[in-house]
Amino acid sequence: MLDRPRAMRIADDSTLIRKFERQDGPIITVAISPDAKWMAVGGEIGDVRVYNLETGDFVAKCSGQQGGVYALQFYPDSKRLAAAGFDGTVRIYDLSGKTEQAFVPVPLERAEAAR
């Protein structure tokens, strides 16, 4: 039988495993690296923050997104991170926060007015 609190309340940290710094805005997406060493957090502000899961320490800030970040994915080698969001651009970052590549996966064009 598990010994769980019967009445949990908002902000109750009785089951807290690791505490991370407060984010600048709402969190939209989170990704865990395949080797379970890193966690990436993206949100409305447009920056991606990378943390060490073992210690909870901040590792890097990945900047460049124009608007919110809606999707994050680590590469299988856990050494790079792909981020995409509001601006339609996918950015590839290394774990120091440096942008390695940026591209628009599906170029969008303005529709011509109906004649």
Side-chain angles (χ1 to χ4, degrees), residues 2-15:
L2 296 174
D3 183 23
R4 292 187 182 175
R6 297 207 184 262
M8 299 210 46
R9 298 187 190 341
I10 294 174
D12 180 2
D13 63 359
S14 63
T15 58

Side-chain angles (χ1 to χ4, degrees), residues 22-30 41-47 49 67-70:
R22 184 177 181 88
Q23 301 301 301
D24 292 333
I27 295 170
I28 296 173
T29 183
V30 174
V41 179
E44 283 186 1
I45 301 302
D47 293 327
R49 295 178 185 214
V69 176
Y70 302 132

Side-chain angles (χ1 to χ4, degrees), residues 40-61:
V41 179
E44 283 186 1
I45 301 302
D47 293 327
V48 176
R49 295 178 185 214
V50 180
Y51 297 91
N52 179 313
L53 274 177
E54 179 77 21
T55 64
D57 292 338
F58 173 78
V59 175
K61 181 178 176 182

